[in-house]
Amino acid sequence: DGEYAYAAVVHDYLYWTQTRSPKEADLILDMAMEDFDVGAVTAKLIYGAVRLGGKSAWKGNAEKKAQGEKRVPIRLPQDPRMTWDDSKQRPGVFAP
């Protein structure tokens, strides 16, 4: 929910779909934070963290996708307090 939230959502989407390399996804995150005027120190810390720890997230996402997990919603829950696990159990929430 910080000023970097939109950039983070795009980055997480790219890490899930894996249509770009991790390095490209990280660079897009960096550029998006710049576009949203995220402070230089904050942006540098976030970018450094994803470059350092992103490999395990990338690998974990690939494994979960291979197991059939879906993460791109086609409709949002009506109750914003719904948990991630609950939303995964509901039919018709995620794109095939």
Side-chain angles (χ1 to χ4, degrees):
D1 61 353
E3 55 194 5
Y4 51 85
Y6 291 111
V9 168
V10 170
H11 180 261
D12 289 357
Y13 175 80
L14 292 171
Y15 260 52
W16 178 253
T17 61
Q18 298 186 346
T19 54
R20 302 282 186 134
S21 71
K23 185 174 183 176
E24 286 176 305
D26 295 349
L27 288 172
I28 289 168
L29 169 70
D30 194 42
M31 290 185 288
M33 287 191 294
E34 184 179 335
D35 287 347
F36 279 92
D37 294 323
V38 174
V41 172
T42 299
K44 189 175 286 277
L45 287 171
I46 292 170
Y47 179 78
V50 298
R51 290 302 300 152
L52 184 64
K55 184 182 262 188
S56 64
W58 185 271
K59 183 180 176 194
N61 284 348
E63 290 169 359
K64 288 175 183 173
K65 280 179 69 175
Q67 295 168 356
E69 184 168 316
K70 304 209 180 326
R71 288 197 185 169
V72 179
I74 54 175
R75 64 184 176 93
L76 298 175
Q78 292 183 355
D79 183 352
R81 296 166 296 186
M82 179 179 284
T83 67
W84 178 248
D85 286 335
D86 287 344
S87 67
K88 289 194 293 186
Q89 303 303 317
R90 297 180 54 125
V93 172
F94 295 98

